[in-house]
């Protein structure tokens, strides 16, 4: 029970929910019902762009050159879909961040880091708004049940009889801590004032 409680406490962090396909589907469904799914979609599109860029970094130079226009197109599509005034799924980010992204997109920058500040703002909005509301919604109970089933599947395989009763010996099945970290105060945020 203690290990399940620890696993559940990790799962109840937005960082981990966003990285887990099953758990994020419950959160996304809630956001869709609440008419604020665009934040989730924006966050995921930026993560996909970062993964594409990461894969590209290890490629040969001629592959990088061939892929650069594709990444530029993806960055522009994200801008058009979420940031441009009048966008179908416009997200709520600060004007300064919007201007910085606009400049970078016009300069045809391919690095996904142009969206880091916006992604951070959206993450904080989801954590303080949508995720808190999600925890009060009926879907959250389904979310916890799904997590419980997933925990059981990770720790107990059908027909598997461990030699000892200590689940801790099967540590490779534990939910790991997320790599996402938006808790650190950005340098830009330290000097912010109204």
């Amino acid at each position: 029970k203690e290990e399940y409680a620890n696993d559940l406490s990790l799962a109840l962090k937005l960082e981990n929910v966003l990285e887990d396909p099953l758990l994020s589907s419950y959160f996304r469904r809630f956001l869709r019902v609440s008419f604020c799914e665009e934040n989730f979609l924006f966050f995921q599109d930026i993560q996909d762009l970062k993964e594409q860029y990461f894969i590209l970094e290890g490629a040969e130079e001629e592959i990088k050159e061939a892929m650069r226009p594709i990444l530029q197109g993806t960055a522009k599509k994200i801008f058009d879909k979420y940031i441009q005034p009048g966008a179908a799924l416009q997200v709520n980010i600060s004007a300064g961040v919007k201007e910085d992204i606009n400049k970078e997109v016009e300069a045809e920058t391919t690095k996904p880091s142009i969206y880091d500040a916006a992604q951070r703002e959206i993450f904080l909005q989801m954590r303080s708004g949508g995720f808190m509301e999600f925890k009060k919604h009926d879907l959250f109970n389904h979310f916890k049940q799904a997590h419980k089933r997933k925990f059981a599947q990770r720790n107990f395989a059908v027909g598997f009889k461990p030699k000892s009763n200590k689940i801790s010996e099967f540590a490779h099945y534990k939910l790991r801590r997320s790599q996402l970290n938006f808790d650190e105060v950005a340098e830009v945020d330290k000097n912010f004032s109204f």
Side-chain angles (χ1 to χ4, degrees):
K1 282 193 169 200
E2 183 180 320
E3 292 204 20
Y4 172 71
N6 291 337
D7 199 69
L8 181 62
S9 70
L10 279 177
L12 295 181
K13 292 186 177 189
L14 182 57
E15 299 89 335
N16 292 320
V17 169
L18 292 171
E19 288 183 345
D20 185 289
L22 175 67
L23 302 179
S24 67
S25 68
Y26 282 95
F27 183 51
R28 181 179 178 186
R29 191 176 312 158
F30 167 75
L31 292 173
R32 186 179 307 134
V33 169
S34 303
F35 302 104
C36 57
E37 185 181 21
E38 66 277 356
N39 288 344
F40 179 87
L41 295 173
F42 174 75
F43 188 91
Q44 292 299 338
D45 283 351
I46 299 302
Q47 286 300 104
D48 291 345
L49 179 64
K50 287 179 177 181
E51 286 176 18
Q52 290 171 9
Y53 189 78
F54 178 75
I55 292 168
L56 185 64
E57 281 183 337
E60 296 175 11
E61 198 57 41
E62 68 181 46
I63 294 173
K64 286 181 182 180
E65 289 302 317
M67 292 297 293
R68 191 163 283 124
I70 295 171
L71 286 177
Q72 287 172 343
T74 303
K76 177 75 170 119
K77 284 179 188 175
I78 290 172
F79 177 80
D80 293 342
K81 188 175 181 180
Y82 299 106
I83 297 174
Q84 187 175 37
L89 297 171
Q90 190 170 7
V91 292
N92 184 18
I93 56 174
S94 64
V97 170
K98 231 181 242 190
E99 287 174 21
D100 292 344
I101 292 172
N102 191 23
K103 288 176 191 172
E104 294 291 335
V105 169
E106 286 176 1
E108 298 183 348
T109 302
T110 59
K111 292 189 177 184
S113 60
I114 64 173
Y115 290 110
D116 283 351
Q119 188 182 30
R120 183 174 188 277
E121 284 186 22
I122 293 302
F123 175 83
L124 294 174
Q125 286 177 26
M126 283 194 297
R127 185 168 67 183
S128 64
F131 197 62
M132 298 305 282
E133 291 300 314
F134 173 60
K135 289 180 177 182
K136 299 173 190 172
H137 196 271
D138 286 340
L139 274 171
F140 186 66
N141 292 328
H142 295 287
F143 167 89
K144 288 195 300 189
Q145 289 172 355
H147 175 266
K148 195 173 195 176
R149 283 191 303 274
K150 190 171 185 173
F151 177 81
Q153 288 171 353
R154 270 198 321 263
N155 290 293
F156 310 104
V158 176
F160 175 71
K161 294 183 180 178
K163 293 179 183 174
S164 85
N165 292 333
K166 292 183 179 179
I167 294 176
S168 60
E169 290 181 9
F170 308 102
H172 58 283
Y173 289 109
K174 288 184 180 179
L175 184 66
R176 66 182 201 280
R177 203 168 285 285
S178 172
Q179 299 299 316
L180 298 173
N181 184 6
F182 292 97
D183 289 330
E184 294 177 9
V185 177
E187 198 62 41
V188 179
D189 295 341
K190 289 180 183 176
N191 301 322
F192 181 77
S193 64
F194 286 100

